[in-house]
Amino acid sequence: MLKHLLYYVPAQVLPALMSLLGVAVFTHHMGVVDYGQLAIALAVVTAGQGVALQWLCASVMRFYPKAREEGTLPALLAGTGSWWLISSLLTLLGLGVASALFLPTTARGQSVMLCAALLYVTLSLAFLTMRVHMAAMHSRRYSLLQAVQSIGGMGTACLLAWYVSATPQAILLGFVLGYIFVLLVDYRNVIGLFRLHRDDAGMRHRIWQFGWPIIIFSGFSFILSKGDRFLVQALLGSEAVALYAAPYSLAEQAISVIFLIIVPVTHPLAVRAYEQGSAALAEQMQVNARVVFGLAAPAALGFAMLASEISDLILAEAYYDLSVQVLPWVALSTLMFGLKAHYLDHAFQLAHKNKYQLYILIPAAALNLLLNLILLPRIGVMGAVYATVISYALALIGSYYLAQRAFRFTLPWLDLAKITLACLLMAAVMSVIEIDVVWQSLLLKFLLGAGSYVLVVYTMGLLPVLRR
């Protein structure tokens, strides 16, 4: 496991660093209102990605190992490509409706939505091809594609914002170019998705039967995770969206990268264990729990402890005050959502009980919307933050309860308690450091905090699990 994790580190760290660079450049060079419009456009693209793409990515991850063994891999890829064409057409129609509802009905608003539509098409196809490499555990190839996309896309967007035009349209087109680079580099894999003569009705039906619940729960998952941006836009305006989205994006990108490093390894291993029987799967789920929590929990806590330094170094001055308040809460909510989506949800997918997720997401999404409607007019943007934390906590608890009904597995509670203790000791070390120079404070807290955590975890004998 450790070898594959190390392969995925550059594949996820580089995009995260490029995203942080993007937030810094965009908040300093774009007007606050323009950044708010960009955030709404990206949220619309994310909605399309979640609803129309996530089910196909999950299907590839679920069926790839067995299809390779059975010799039906070409049919799986072709069936996935067919469904991508259908879902993309429907998504573009949905984006048109969203543009009419949530973006200004002006030439500028329409041009922003057109760029968002182009971004969705290139993004979704590139994500699908990269997910094929993830399912095959081609970690080096996956890392290359991620590097090409992040450097090409965010690099181009930053250059356009810096030297040409700091508008939402220019930045969205920069992202489009990054995904086009990926598709050109990985053209053979792209062609495999569109060898439609190898399409098989039985395989298409199999993909649909597995994936249709994911379409529904992905919609509610989007409402839970990004729907508040539209309510902030409607109730408080584009400027409030920008002030909320910028620090949220910082924390989400920085912490989500940990999950994105882990999942390409833990999920395929869980799928393989599932094929070997319930005992092997239960053991693998324990290993995965230690790895996921042991890496993500200290990352989230460490980010929260560094909220002031990160806000000062990366964001423009207009965002600082709210960012310091938002970042610790977003770190907590991102950790909770990541544990749900990248660990507990695997139980539903492996047991073919994806409908269970609806029992969680529908009440959590409804609660999120209700709390936003109540809190936003009263306490402003922090209302969206508190609503997210509360609804994510409900989703995490509900996921654990229902995951036990999908199939029985036991969490390694003693090891999780040891990891929590190590996190608290790390936080204690970081809290006593006081240096006036911001970058020096950030660097010293990071090094001493990470070092103390690794030392405690090693002393407790938890590190060897990564070698399994």
Side-chain angles (χ1 to χ4, degrees), residues 9-31:
V9 167
Q12 301 301 342
V13 170
L14 181 59
L17 292 176
M18 295 300 294
S19 295
L20 296 180
L21 172 64
V23 172
V25 172
F26 301 154
T27 57
H28 281 84
H29 288 80
M30 297 179 73

Side-chain angles (χ1 to χ4, degrees), residues 141 179-188 190:
R141 183 73 172 177
Y179 289 110
I180 289 176
F181 294 157
V182 168
L183 297 175
L184 291 175
V185 170
D186 201 32
Y187 72 94
R188 291 181 179 176
V190 175

Side-chain angles (χ1 to χ4, degrees), residues 393-462:
L394 173 64
L396 180 64
I397 295 170
S399 293
Y400 175 71
Y401 173 75
L402 289 181
Q404 293 295 315
R405 298 188 63 180
F407 71 86
R408 286 289 177 182
F409 66 96
T410 304
L411 290 176
W413 291 110
L414 179 59
D415 288 342
L416 298 185
K418 291 178 180 179
I419 291 170
T420 302
L421 176 60
C423 288
L424 294 176
L425 292 174
M426 178 194 76
V429 171
M430 297 177 71
S431 65
V432 300
I433 300 172
E434 294 184 7
I435 300 177
D436 293 334
V437 181
V438 177
W439 72 266
Q440 292 179 358
S441 177
L442 175 66
L443 181 61
L444 189 59
K445 285 184 178 181
F446 172 79
L447 292 176
L448 292 180
S452 62
Y453 175 78
V454 171
L455 178 62
V456 174
V457 168
Y458 177 78
T459 303
M460 292 179 177
L462 294 176

Side-chain angles (χ1 to χ4, degrees), residues 93-243:
L93 293 175
L95 289 177
V97 173
S99 67
L101 292 176
F102 298 110
L103 291 177
T105 56
T106 61
R108 177 183 174 87
Q110 292 173 356
S111 65
V112 170
M113 209 59 228
L114 177 60
C115 294
L118 291 173
L119 176 59
Y120 171 76
V121 171
T122 54
L123 174 152
S124 61
L125 186 55
F127 265 49
L128 199 54
T129 60
M130 287 191 286
R131 193 56 59 98
V132 172
H133 291 296
M134 184 186 295
M137 297 194 75
H138 295 159
S139 50
R140 293 181 181 179
R141 183 73 172 177
Y142 181 87
S143 296
L144 172 63
L145 294 175
Q146 281 282 47
V148 169
Q149 186 278 316
S150 60
I151 294 174
M154 188 61 74
T156 304
C158 289
L159 289 174
L160 290 174
W162 208 324
Y163 294 109
V164 180
S165 176
T167 61
Q169 298 95 315
I171 291 167
L172 291 170
L173 288 176
F175 294 150
V176 168
L177 290 175
Y179 289 110
I180 289 176
F181 294 157
V182 168
L183 297 175
L184 291 175
V185 170
D186 201 32
Y187 72 94
R188 291 181 179 176
N189 207 14
V190 175
I191 293 173
L193 292 171
F194 297 107
R195 289 181 174 137
L196 300 184
H197 63 282
R198 297 179 175 178
D199 195 4
D200 177 76
M203 182 62 76
R204 283 201 314 275
H205 179 73
R206 189 179 180 187
I207 294 171
W208 173 253
Q209 285 296 105
F210 174 78
W212 73 261
I214 300 178
I215 297 175
I216 300 174
F217 89 70
S218 293
F220 284 102
S221 180
F222 171 79
I223 294 173
L224 179 61
S225 61
K226 295 290 189 296
D228 54 5
R229 283 161 173 71
F230 299 101
L231 291 177
V232 173
Q233 169 73 30
L235 297 175
L236 303 178
S238 296
E239 183 174 350
V241 174
L243 295 175

